[in-house]
């Protein structure tokens, strides 16, 4: 090796790398989760802790937390993956017919073949029919459906199309606070301007149009607001928007000429009495042509949540409404760069939107598994809010939907300066201490955004009922000890 090569500076350094990437933060898999993984390794090495296992209540990973897969979905995927099983009498005929239909739509009759970049046409047709059934017959066109690698991929793709300009003309995107950190991370990566609007914690995390107006007017001083993102049901806050609220949001978007992005991946996860999921697409079209022919909308769904919980297959879709035809060509070009979404994920999505029907052999088992899964989640949602609200210093809003609770925690006076000494946000300090003392991994509210001077954590309701009771009991005991220690 020559002397020049030996001392050659690296091309890619922290100084030369893309500065936008350095601004990206994703709390759901941030430092506290990395520490949880280290602790798991330490336990395996025999290092003594005041607990015997790490319980990860930080992420909505259903099957990792013990939720059982839906039998019919896995049967069809098994048949698609290994078609020789089609000769096996243990598989029901409706699963076989679904698998054959999907395989006939795949290149070479194999899940291992690329699909078209927008997704397999047959599956897009099935998604469109599913949306029409969900929305009471409102037309959905397969050409407006884009299959994706989970909902996250489609959200990122749409944001890429929206972001442009420099300085005052730079795209601003309105996102809720608290928010799912995909949005803040994506905007940081793209160099867009984040426009934060705050949900109303005192009113079950409701959305107030006057707060949207405040955030928008403030943002117009330094950027060009172009899009409004809504998560319904909410993550991390678990609220379910009323129809009236959705109508108000649509009117606001129309009046302010904003592109609407509706993240609806928890649409089957609605638990509270009196709450119903309304899709933005359905409400938009029921408001009449004044809105349905004007407002641009992209809505997103996924196989990762609801009763499916199939996070690892990375299946999802986006439906676009009123998209400029020339922009649609550019969208199709953009998704083609990545060739296609995972075909097994597309196959899974197909059986989600085309499940067993009442006259088919798998119907009864499917309905029982689906109903039991959602009923168990509803029970755990109620149990979580009831127990947390009994703990002094913790206030938990009703978990109306989704898979999380986002309780507010009161931190005693001495805790905040100690957190600052450690260079940590106060709720990060709280959650890190909880992890070290109990083995419970939660995500601090600062990773999702919150009003100044308030502190929260996000916790999934996914652990089994028995394990969830242990988690809640440990949080209660820790909170009492923490309050005594730092008061």
């Amino acid at each position: 090796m020559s002397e020049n090569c030996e001392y050659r500076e690296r091309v890619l350094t922290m100084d030369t790398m893309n500065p936008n990437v350095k601004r990206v933060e994703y709390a759901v898999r941030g430092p506290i989760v990395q520490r949880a993984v280290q602790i798991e390794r330490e336990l395996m090495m025999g290092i003594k802790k005041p607990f015997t296992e790490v319980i990860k209540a930080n992420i909505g990973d259903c099957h990792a937390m013990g939720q059982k897969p839906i039998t019919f979905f896995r049967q069809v995927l098994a048949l698609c993956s290994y078609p020789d099983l089609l000769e096996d009498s243990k598989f029901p005929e409706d699963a076989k017919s679904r698998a054959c239909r999907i395989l006939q739509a795949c290149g070479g009759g194999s899940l291992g073949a690329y699909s078209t970049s927008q997704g397999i046409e047959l599956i897009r047709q099935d998604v469109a029919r599913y949306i029409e059934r969900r929305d009471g017959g409102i037309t959905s066109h397969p050409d407006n459906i884009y299959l994706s690698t989970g909902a996250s991929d489609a959200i990122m793709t749409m944001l890429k199309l929206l972001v442009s300009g420099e300085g005052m003309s730079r795209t601003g995107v309105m996102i809720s606070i608290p928010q799912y950190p995909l949005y803040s991370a994506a905007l940081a990566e793209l160099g867009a301007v984040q426009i934060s609007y705050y949900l109303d914690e005192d009113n079950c995390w409701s959305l107030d149009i006057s707060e949207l107006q405040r955030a928008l007017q403030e943002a117009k001083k330094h950027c060009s607001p172009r899009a409004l993102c809504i998560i319904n049901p909410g993550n991390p806050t678990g609220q379910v928007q009323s129809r009236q609220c959705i109508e108000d949001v649509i009117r606001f978007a129309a009046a302010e000429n904003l592109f609407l992005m509706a993240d609806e991946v928890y649409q089957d996860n609605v638990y509270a009495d009196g709450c119903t999921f309304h899709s933005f697409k359905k409400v938009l079209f029921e408001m009449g042509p004044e809105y349905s022919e004007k407002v641009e909308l992209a809505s997103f769904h996924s196989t990762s949540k609801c009763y499916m919980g199939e996070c690892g297959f990375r299946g999802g879709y986006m439906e676009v409404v009123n998209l400029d035809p020339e922009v649609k060509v550019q969208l199709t070009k953009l998704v083609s760069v990545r060739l296609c979404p995972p075909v097994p994920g597309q196959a899974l999505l197909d059986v989600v939107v085309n499940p067993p029907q009442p006259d088919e052999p798998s119907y009864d088992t499917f309905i029982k598994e689906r109903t039991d899964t959602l009923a168990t989640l509803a029970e755990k949602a109620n149990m979580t809010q009831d127990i947390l609200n009994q703990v002094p210093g913790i206030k938990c809003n009703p978990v109306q939907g989704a898979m999380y609770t986002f309780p507010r925690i009161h931190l005693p006076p001495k805790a905040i300066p100690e957190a600052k000494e450690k260079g940590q946000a106060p709720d990060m300090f709280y959650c890190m201490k909880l992890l070290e003392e109990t083995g419970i991994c939660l995500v601090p509210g600062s990773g999702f955004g919150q009003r100044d001077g308030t502190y929260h954590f996000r916790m999934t309701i996914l652990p089994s009922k028995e394990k969830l009771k242990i988690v809640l009991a440990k949080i209660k005991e820790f909170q009492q000890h923490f309050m005594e220690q730092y008061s």
Side-chain angles (χ1 to χ4, degrees), residues 135-155:
D135 292 345
I138 293 165
T139 303
S140 177
H141 297 286
D143 285 349
N144 291 335
I145 306 294
Y146 288 77
L147 306 189
S148 57
T149 308
S152 303
D153 174 51
I155 290 165

Side-chain angles (χ1 to χ4, degrees), residues 173-185 187 193-201 205-208 211-212 214-215 227-239 241 245 249 261-263 406 445-451:
V173 178
M174 302 184 73
I175 65 171
S176 62
I177 300 295
Q179 51 100 27
Y180 175 48
L182 162 69
Y183 291 91
S184 54
L187 297 178
V193 178
Q194 175 179 317
I195 304 170
S196 300
Y197 64 90
Y198 289 89
L199 301 176
D200 185 355
E201 183 172 10
W205 298 110
S206 62
L207 194 162
D208 188 337
E211 170 59 15
L212 287 180
R214 178 208 63 78
L228 169 59
C229 299
I230 305 286
I231 308 174
N232 180 48
N235 175 9
T237 43
Q239 84 285 4
Q241 289 186 353
C245 178
V249 168
M261 296 176 63
D263 180 339
F406 196 70
S446 48
F448 300 89
Q450 55 198 351
R451 285 196 181 275

Side-chain angles (χ1 to χ4, degrees), residues 69-264:
I70 298 295
T71 302
F72 183 76
F73 296 169
R74 290 300 183 90
Q75 287 173 331
V76 174
L77 286 166
L79 292 162
C80 287
S81 300
Y82 189 55
D84 286 3
L85 292 173
L86 289 163
E87 306 303 320
D88 192 324
S89 60
K90 290 197 291 290
F91 287 83
E93 288 305 312
D94 50 352
K96 289 180 179 180
S97 65
R98 292 292 198 293
C100 288
R101 186 171 173 270
I102 291 166
L103 289 171
Q104 285 165 10
C106 294
S110 172
L111 281 192
Y114 287 130
S115 76
T116 57
S117 298
Q118 199 170 336
I120 294 169
E121 184 176 2
L122 173 84
I123 298 176
R124 288 189 286 113
Q125 290 170 352
D126 286 348
V127 169
R129 283 196 290 267
Y130 159 80
I131 292 170
E132 288 177 351
R133 290 194 305 272
R134 183 198 67 186
D135 292 345
I138 293 165
T139 303
S140 177
H141 297 286
D143 285 349
N144 291 335
I145 306 294
Y146 288 77
L147 306 189
S148 57
T149 308
S152 303
D153 174 51
I155 290 165
M156 190 71 181
T157 297
M158 189 51 65
L159 288 172
K160 282 180 182 175
L161 286 179
L162 282 160
V163 174
S164 66
E166 298 295 334
M168 284 285 292
S169 67
R170 190 63 173 166
T171 295
V173 178
M174 302 184 73
I175 65 171
S176 62
I177 300 295
Q179 51 100 27
Y180 175 48
L182 162 69
Y183 291 91
S184 54
L187 297 178
E189 183 180 340
L190 296 170
V193 178
Q194 175 179 317
I195 304 170
S196 300
Y197 64 90
Y198 289 89
L199 301 176
D200 185 355
E201 183 172 10
D202 292 334
N203 286 293
C204 288
W205 298 110
S206 62
L207 194 162
D208 188 337
I209 297 300
S210 63
E211 170 59 15
L212 287 180
Q213 197 68 54
R214 178 208 63 78
L216 182 75
Q217 295 310 317
E218 202 170 286
K220 284 179 177 178
K221 299 172 187 174
H222 57 85
C223 70
S224 176
R226 297 179 66 201
L228 169 59
C229 299
I230 305 286
I231 308 174
N232 180 48
N235 175 9
T237 43
Q239 84 285 4
V240 178
Q241 289 186 353
S242 68
R243 184 193 169 90
Q244 182 61 54
C245 178
I246 293 171
E247 287 185 13
D248 291 344
V249 168
I250 290 170
R251 289 190 188 94
F252 175 80
E256 300 294 346
N257 201 28
L258 294 170
F259 191 106
L260 260 179
M261 296 176 63
D263 180 339
E264 299 175 333

Side-chain angles (χ1 to χ4, degrees), residues 3-21:
E3 189 172 320
N4 285 344
C5 286
E6 190 173 346
Y7 293 101
R8 180 173 173 267
E9 288 186 12
R10 287 189 172 92
V11 173
L12 184 60
T13 68
M14 289 296 288
D15 291 330
T16 62
M17 72 175 284
N18 183 339
N20 288 341
V21 174

